[in-house]
Every structure is written in C-alpha cells, then in structure tokens.
Amino acid sequence: MKLNLSASMSLSVVAALAANAGTVDPSQNEWFGKYKKQANAPKPEAMLLNTDAEPALAEGFKPLFNGKDLTGWKTRGGQSRFAAADGVITGTCVADQPSTYLCTEREDFTDFIFTCEIKWVENINSGVMFRAMVKPGKTWETVMGPQAEMEGSRSDRGWSGGIYGQDCGGYFYPLWLEEHQAARAALNVEGWNRLTIQAKGNTVKTWVNGVPAAHWVDDGTYAKGFFGLQLHKAKNGTVQYRNIRIKESAE
C-alpha cells in the first residue's frame, strides 16, 4: 500500500506541475497583451524552462576583449560610440542614432558558453547579440538575429536574460511566466551583472547573476554568426562591459 500511495502522490505532483507550467504571471498581463501577437512570440504553455545551474566559468575560457583597446571588434549599425580603457568597454549613446553594435570581427561562432559583466552608468536598453548577422540598408547596416536582452537599470518589465529577435520578429523568449519570477528579480540595477549564454546546437539557455532565465530552441535559422554589444536607439545612455569571455565546445 505504501508503494502504491507514493506512486499516486508522485503522479499527483507531476500533474500539478504540468497544470501550472506555462502560466503568465498576473504582473505580466500588460506585457503579454502587448507582445503576444509578435511574429516570434511563443505560446506560454509551450515554453521550456531553464532549470540548469549556470555553467562553470573558471576553466577553458578565452577573452574576447584584450582589456585595453577594441582590437578584434568593429562598430556596425548606427554611430553611437564605444571606447576601451582599464579592462572596460564603455558604450555611449549618440542621440537618435539607430541602434549601434560593437561586433566581433569574427563571424562564425557556433556552439559556446559566453559570459560577460554589464553595468549601467546612465540607463539605456542594451544586450548581447549572438549568432548574429547583418542585412544591408540604404544608410547603414542592420544587425539582426537573437539577442540576450539586458533591459537597463529602470525597467519595470524584468526581461533581462530573455531572448529578443532583433530586427527579425520580436521576442523569441520573453520572461513573462510565473516560473520566471526569480529571473525577473535577478538584475542588480546599481552594480555589475553577469550574463551567461550557452548555445549548443539549436538550444540556447541564459543566466543573469547565476539565476536561470531563458530556454529557447531555434529552428536552425541562427546556427552561427558574430557577437554584438548593443546600444539601443535613445536620447542618451551609457553602458559598460567587462570580463567578456568565451569557451567554445570544440576546445
């Protein structure tokens, strides 16, 4: 009887978890209403959850930034400014410029664990493009592809660590579920924030300050590309990046 009861209880727990999975948090109803019709918007009940611990970040990583200048990087998109000094890349918004990206010159990253730290000096929407590509425009290039969103220090939405489809249809993975409560609260608005992105095949997962955030499965469209540090179009804003490192699966 004891074994049967335990099995019955286990099934009940599984059923309860399944019933609660994919539920939009009531605090997110406004954002859900705004974004649910975007081309990429997932159905809440179909979203996967990231329940993994953040990958170990101590061994096997190589720096993508040499700490002193922007060797290996180039600016794409608008004409906002990036500068390097003392181990930090600082991006400063130029008013009303299109979104500007400091991008790796290398454009063939596939599977990896990427990590960096981000801090806002003056609030602005930002994030890290990965497996990104460009499309030509009449005046400037448009950087497109998946972006690990880092919303800024004054966001009331809490989607830092979510995955946005930049110039390709909107959010692939918004953090609007009840299960994303911890992720929405993970950002340190006054100090440095560690963003970690793991891409393996079509599966991408993110962590903010060690808290699991996104679990997105691509359809194969974005299998390889470059990294890009974003300065969103705005009137003003300053964001800093440091400890930009990568561990590729082939290494």
PDB file of all heavy atoms in Angstrom, residues 31-53:
ATOM      1  N   TRP A  31       2.247  43.292 -20.444  1.00  0.00           N
ATOM      2  CA  TRP A  31       3.286  42.991 -21.421  1.00  0.00           C
ATOM      3  C   TRP A  31       2.875  41.822 -22.308  1.00  0.00           C
ATOM      4  O   TRP A  31       3.158  41.829 -23.508  1.00  0.00           O
ATOM      5  CB  TRP A  31       4.598  42.683 -20.708  1.00  0.00           C
ATOM      6  CG  TRP A  31       5.092  43.811 -19.873  1.00  0.00           C
ATOM      7  CD1 TRP A  31       5.208  43.854 -18.512  1.00  0.00           C
ATOM      8  CD2 TRP A  31       5.502  45.098 -20.340  1.00  0.00           C
ATOM      9  NE1 TRP A  31       5.672  45.073 -18.101  1.00  0.00           N
ATOM     10  CE2 TRP A  31       5.870  45.861 -19.203  1.00  0.00           C
ATOM     11  CE3 TRP A  31       5.605  45.684 -21.601  1.00  0.00           C
ATOM     12  CZ2 TRP A  31       6.334  47.169 -19.302  1.00  0.00           C
ATOM     13  CZ3 TRP A  31       6.071  46.976 -21.699  1.00  0.00           C
ATOM     14  CH2 TRP A  31       6.423  47.718 -20.573  1.00  0.00           C
ATOM     15  N   PHE A  32       2.217  40.852 -21.731  1.00  0.00           N
ATOM     16  CA  PHE A  32       1.728  39.730 -22.532  1.00  0.00           C
ATOM     17  C   PHE A  32       0.756  40.229 -23.597  1.00  0.00           C
ATOM     18  O   PHE A  32       0.833  39.836 -24.775  1.00  0.00           O
ATOM     19  CB  PHE A  32       1.046  38.698 -21.633  1.00  0.00           C
ATOM     20  CG  PHE A  32       0.430  37.547 -22.375  1.00  0.00           C
ATOM     21  CD1 PHE A  32       1.218  36.634 -23.064  1.00  0.00           C
ATOM     22  CD2 PHE A  32      -0.950  37.374 -22.391  1.00  0.00           C
ATOM     23  CE1 PHE A  32       0.650  35.570 -23.752  1.00  0.00           C
ATOM     24  CE2 PHE A  32      -1.523  36.310 -23.071  1.00  0.00           C
ATOM     25  CZ  PHE A  32      -0.727  35.408 -23.750  1.00  0.00           C
ATOM     26  N   GLY A  33      -0.144  41.104 -23.214  1.00  0.00           N
ATOM     27  CA  GLY A  33      -1.085  41.655 -24.181  1.00  0.00           C
ATOM     28  C   GLY A  33      -0.408  42.441 -25.284  1.00  0.00           C
ATOM     29  O   GLY A  33      -0.852  42.432 -26.432  1.00  0.00           O
ATOM     30  N   LYS A  34       0.689  43.107 -24.942  1.00  0.00           N
ATOM     31  CA  LYS A  34       1.395  43.937 -25.919  1.00  0.00           C
ATOM     32  C   LYS A  34       2.190  43.103 -26.912  1.00  0.00           C
ATOM     33  O   LYS A  34       2.255  43.449 -28.105  1.00  0.00           O
ATOM     34  CB  LYS A  34       2.315  44.906 -25.186  1.00  0.00           C
ATOM     35  CG  LYS A  34       3.094  45.839 -26.110  1.00  0.00           C
ATOM     36  CD  LYS A  34       3.917  46.843 -25.314  1.00  0.00           C
ATOM     37  CE  LYS A  34       4.690  47.774 -26.244  1.00  0.00           C
ATOM     38  NZ  LYS A  34       5.467  48.795 -25.481  1.00  0.00           N
ATOM     39  N   TYR A  35       2.798  42.022 -26.435  1.00  0.00           N
ATOM     40  CA  TYR A  35       3.768  41.300 -27.265  1.00  0.00           C
ATOM     41  C   TYR A  35       3.284  39.958 -27.794  1.00  0.00           C
ATOM     42  O   TYR A  35       3.956  39.347 -28.627  1.00  0.00           O
ATOM     43  CB  TYR A  35       5.064  41.075 -26.480  1.00  0.00           C
ATOM     44  CG  TYR A  35       5.865  42.328 -26.258  1.00  0.00           C
ATOM     45  CD1 TYR A  35       5.855  42.975 -25.022  1.00  0.00           C
ATOM     46  CD2 TYR A  35       6.639  42.876 -27.276  1.00  0.00           C
ATOM     47  CE1 TYR A  35       6.591  44.131 -24.813  1.00  0.00           C
ATOM     48  CE2 TYR A  35       7.378  44.036 -27.080  1.00  0.00           C
ATOM     49  CZ  TYR A  35       7.354  44.654 -25.844  1.00  0.00           C
ATOM     50  OH  TYR A  35       8.079  45.792 -25.651  1.00  0.00           O
ATOM     51  N   LYS A  36       2.154  39.482 -27.359  1.00  0.00           N
ATOM     52  CA  LYS A  36       1.732  38.127 -27.724  1.00  0.00           C
ATOM     53  C   LYS A  36       1.475  37.951 -29.216  1.00  0.00           C
ATOM     54  O   LYS A  36       1.490  36.821 -29.717  1.00  0.00           O
ATOM     55  CB  LYS A  36       0.491  37.723 -26.933  1.00  0.00           C
ATOM     56  CG  LYS A  36      -0.768  38.532 -27.266  1.00  0.00           C
ATOM     57  CD  LYS A  36      -1.934  38.064 -26.413  1.00  0.00           C
ATOM     58  CE  LYS A  36      -3.201  38.859 -26.724  1.00  0.00           C
ATOM     59  NZ  LYS A  36      -4.342  38.394 -25.884  1.00  0.00           N
ATOM     60  N   LYS A  37       1.240  39.039 -29.936  1.00  0.00           N
ATOM     61  CA  LYS A  37       0.972  38.943 -31.368  1.00  0.00           C
ATOM     62  C   LYS A  37       2.215  39.146 -32.236  1.00  0.00           C
ATOM     63  O   LYS A  37       2.119  39.129 -33.464  1.00  0.00           O
ATOM     64  CB  LYS A  37      -0.115  39.940 -31.764  1.00  0.00           C
ATOM     65  CG  LYS A  37      -1.473  39.618 -31.151  1.00  0.00           C
ATOM     66  CD  LYS A  37      -2.551  40.586 -31.619  1.00  0.00           C
ATOM     67  CE  LYS A  37      -3.902  40.239 -30.997  1.00  0.00           C
ATOM     68  NZ  LYS A  37      -4.963  41.188 -31.446  1.00  0.00           N
ATOM     69  N   GLN A  38       3.380  39.359 -31.616  1.00  0.00           N
ATOM     70  CA  GLN A  38       4.598  39.462 -32.415  1.00  0.00           C
ATOM     71  C   GLN A  38       4.865  38.146 -33.138  1.00  0.00           C
ATOM     72  O   GLN A  38       4.462  37.071 -32.693  1.00  0.00           O
ATOM     73  CB  GLN A  38       5.793  39.796 -31.521  1.00  0.00           C
ATOM     74  CG  GLN A  38       5.827  41.212 -31.048  1.00  0.00           C
ATOM     75  CD  GLN A  38       7.138  41.553 -30.351  1.00  0.00           C
ATOM     76  OE1 GLN A  38       7.833  40.675 -29.864  1.00  0.00           O
ATOM     77  NE2 GLN A  38       7.468  42.833 -30.312  1.00  0.00           N
ATOM     78  N   ALA A  39       5.563  38.264 -34.258  1.00  0.00           N
ATOM     79  CA  ALA A  39       5.789  37.087 -35.108  1.00  0.00           C
ATOM     80  C   ALA A  39       6.471  35.947 -34.368  1.00  0.00           C
ATOM     81  O   ALA A  39       6.168  34.768 -34.599  1.00  0.00           O
ATOM     82  CB  ALA A  39       6.625  37.488 -36.327  1.00  0.00           C
ATOM     83  N   ASN A  40       7.397  36.265 -33.479  1.00  0.00           N
ATOM     84  CA  ASN A  40       8.149  35.227 -32.776  1.00  0.00           C
ATOM     85  C   ASN A  40       7.543  34.802 -31.449  1.00  0.00           C
ATOM     86  O   ASN A  40       8.052  33.874 -30.813  1.00  0.00           O
ATOM     87  CB  ASN A  40       9.578  35.718 -32.485  1.00  0.00           C
ATOM     88  CG  ASN A  40      10.411  35.882 -33.741  1.00  0.00           C
ATOM     89  OD1 ASN A  40      10.160  35.247 -34.744  1.00  0.00           O
ATOM     90  ND2 ASN A  40      11.407  36.746 -33.678  1.00  0.00           N
ATOM     91  N   ALA A  41       6.504  35.484 -30.991  1.00  0.00           N
ATOM     92  CA  ALA A  41       6.017  35.275 -29.629  1.00  0.00           C
ATOM     93  C   ALA A  41       5.617  33.820 -29.387  1.00  0.00           C
ATOM     94  O   ALA A  41       4.791  33.259 -30.117  1.00  0.00           O
ATOM     95  CB  ALA A  41       4.824  36.187 -29.363  1.00  0.00           C
ATOM     96  N   PRO A  42       6.196  33.186 -28.373  1.00  0.00           N
ATOM     97  CA  PRO A  42       5.848  31.789 -28.094  1.00  0.00           C
ATOM     98  C   PRO A  42       4.530  31.685 -27.338  1.00  0.00           C
ATOM     99  O   PRO A  42       4.131  32.609 -26.626  1.00  0.00           O
ATOM    100  CB  PRO A  42       7.010  31.323 -27.216  1.00  0.00           C
ATOM    101  CG  PRO A  42       7.409  32.566 -26.473  1.00  0.00           C
ATOM    102  CD  PRO A  42       7.215  33.704 -27.444  1.00  0.00           C
ATOM    103  N   LYS A  43       3.868  30.560 -27.463  1.00  0.00           N
ATOM    104  CA  LYS A  43       2.697  30.280 -26.642  1.00  0.00           C
ATOM    105  C   LYS A  43       3.189  29.948 -25.238  1.00  0.00           C
ATOM    106  O   LYS A  43       4.078  29.113 -25.078  1.00  0.00           O
ATOM    107  CB  LYS A  43       1.894  29.130 -27.220  1.00  0.00           C
ATOM    108  CG  LYS A  43       1.265  29.447 -28.578  1.00  0.00           C
ATOM    109  CD  LYS A  43       0.397  28.305 -29.052  1.00  0.00           C
ATOM    110  CE  LYS A  43      -0.214  28.613 -30.429  1.00  0.00           C
ATOM    111  NZ  LYS A  43      -1.061  29.834 -30.402  1.00  0.00           N
ATOM    112  N   PRO A  44       2.652  30.600 -24.220  1.00  0.00           N
ATOM    113  CA  PRO A  44       3.158  30.358 -22.866  1.00  0.00           C
ATOM    114  C   PRO A  44       3.206  28.883 -22.483  1.00  0.00           C
ATOM    115  O   PRO A  44       4.169  28.424 -21.873  1.00  0.00           O
ATOM    116  CB  PRO A  44       2.169  31.139 -21.990  1.00  0.00           C
ATOM    117  CG  PRO A  44       1.709  32.249 -22.868  1.00  0.00           C
ATOM    118  CD  PRO A  44       1.606  31.643 -24.240  1.00  0.00           C
ATOM    119  N   GLU A  45       2.166  28.139 -22.860  1.00  0.00           N
ATOM    120  CA  GLU A  45       2.104  26.736 -22.460  1.00  0.00           C
ATOM    121  C   GLU A  45       3.131  25.863 -23.166  1.00  0.00           C
ATOM    122  O   GLU A  45       3.396  24.727 -22.762  1.00  0.00           O
ATOM    123  CB  GLU A  45       0.704  26.173 -22.712  1.00  0.00           C
ATOM    124  CG  GLU A  45       0.268  26.149 -24.168  1.00  0.00           C
ATOM    125  CD  GLU A  45      -0.392  27.433 -24.655  1.00  0.00           C
ATOM    126  OE1 GLU A  45      -0.241  28.468 -23.960  1.00  0.00           O
ATOM    127  OE2 GLU A  45      -1.056  27.391 -25.703  1.00  0.00           O
ATOM    128  N   ALA A  46       3.744  26.388 -24.234  1.00  0.00           N
ATOM    129  CA  ALA A  46       4.745  25.625 -24.984  1.00  0.00           C
ATOM    130  C   ALA A  46       6.177  25.996 -24.614  1.00  0.00           C
ATOM    131  O   ALA A  46       7.123  25.386 -25.108  1.00  0.00           O
ATOM    132  CB  ALA A  46       4.529  25.822 -26.484  1.00  0.00           C
ATOM    133  N   MET A  47       6.340  27.003 -23.742  1.00  0.00           N
ATOM    134  CA  MET A  47       7.681  27.460 -23.418  1.00  0.00           C
ATOM    135  C   MET A  47       8.411  26.461 -22.527  1.00  0.00           C
ATOM    136  O   MET A  47       7.835  25.897 -21.597  1.00  0.00           O
ATOM    137  CB  MET A  47       7.618  28.833 -22.740  1.00  0.00           C
ATOM    138  CG  MET A  47       7.100  29.932 -23.652  1.00  0.00           C
ATOM    139  SD  MET A  47       6.932  31.536 -22.817  1.00  0.00           S
ATOM    140  CE  MET A  47       8.660  31.965 -22.562  1.00  0.00           C
ATOM    141  N   LEU A  48       9.688  26.270 -22.812  1.00  0.00           N
ATOM    142  CA  LEU A  48      10.545  25.429 -21.987  1.00  0.00           C
ATOM    143  C   LEU A  48      11.169  26.268 -20.879  1.00  0.00           C
ATOM    144  O   LEU A  48      11.358  27.474 -21.034  1.00  0.00           O
ATOM    145  CB  LEU A  48      11.634  24.793 -22.842  1.00  0.00           C
ATOM    146  CG  LEU A  48      11.144  23.921 -24.003  1.00  0.00           C
ATOM    147  CD1 LEU A  48      12.321  23.475 -24.869  1.00  0.00           C
ATOM    148  CD2 LEU A  48      10.365  22.715 -23.493  1.00  0.00           C
ATOM    149  N   LEU A  49      11.495  25.621 -19.776  1.00  0.00           N
ATOM    150  CA  LEU A  49      12.097  26.326 -18.651  1.00  0.00           C
ATOM    151  C   LEU A  49      13.562  25.952 -18.503  1.00  0.00           C
ATOM    152  O   LEU A  49      13.939  24.793 -18.687  1.00  0.00           O
ATOM    153  CB  LEU A  49      11.346  25.989 -17.359  1.00  0.00           C
ATOM    154  CG  LEU A  49       9.871  26.372 -17.321  1.00  0.00           C
ATOM    155  CD1 LEU A  49       9.259  25.918 -16.005  1.00  0.00           C
ATOM    156  CD2 LEU A  49       9.676  27.865 -17.523  1.00  0.00           C
ATOM    157  N   ASN A  50      14.371  26.931 -18.169  1.00  0.00           N
ATOM    158  CA  ASN A  50      15.766  26.683 -17.854  1.00  0.00           C
ATOM    159  C   ASN A  50      15.856  26.380 -16.362  1.00  0.00           C
ATOM    160  O   ASN A  50      15.668  27.263 -15.522  1.00  0.00           O
ATOM    161  CB  ASN A  50      16.623  27.902 -18.202  1.00  0.00           C
ATOM    162  CG  ASN A  50      18.099  27.677 -17.916  1.00  0.00           C
ATOM    163  OD1 ASN A  50      18.501  26.600 -17.498  1.00  0.00           O
ATOM    164  ND2 ASN A  50      18.899  28.705 -18.149  1.00  0.00           N
ATOM    165  N   THR A  51      16.136  25.139 -16.030  1.00  0.00           N
ATOM    166  CA  THR A  51      16.285  24.731 -14.635  1.00  0.00           C
ATOM    167  C   THR A  51      17.727  24.313 -14.325  1.00  0.00           C
ATOM    168  O   THR A  51      18.003  23.773 -13.254  1.00  0.00           O
ATOM    169  CB  THR A  51      15.329  23.574 -14.306  1.00  0.00           C
ATOM    170  OG1 THR A  51      15.603  22.467 -15.175  1.00  0.00           O
ATOM    171  CG2 THR A  51      13.871  23.995 -14.497  1.00  0.00           C
ATOM    172  N   ASP A  52      18.643  24.572 -15.265  1.00  0.00           N
ATOM    173  CA  ASP A  52      20.040  24.172 -15.093  1.00  0.00           C
ATOM    174  C   ASP A  52      20.810  25.176 -14.245  1.00  0.00           C
ATOM    175  O   ASP A  52      20.533  26.377 -14.271  1.00  0.00           O
ATOM    176  CB  ASP A  52      20.747  24.063 -16.443  1.00  0.00           C
ATOM    177  CG  ASP A  52      20.222  22.925 -17.289  1.00  0.00           C
ATOM    178  OD1 ASP A  52      19.458  22.089 -16.762  1.00  0.00           O
ATOM    179  OD2 ASP A  52      20.572  22.877 -18.483  1.00  0.00           O
ATOM    180  N   ALA A  53      21.799  24.660 -13.525  1.00  0.00           N
ATOM    181  CA  ALA A  53      22.746  25.557 -12.868  1.00  0.00           C
ATOM    182  C   ALA A  53      23.582  26.263 -13.929  1.00  0.00           C
ATOM    183  O   ALA A  53      23.826  25.722 -15.014  1.00  0.00           O
ATOM    184  CB  ALA A  53      23.646  24.774 -11.923  1.00  0.00           C
TER     185      ALA A  53
END
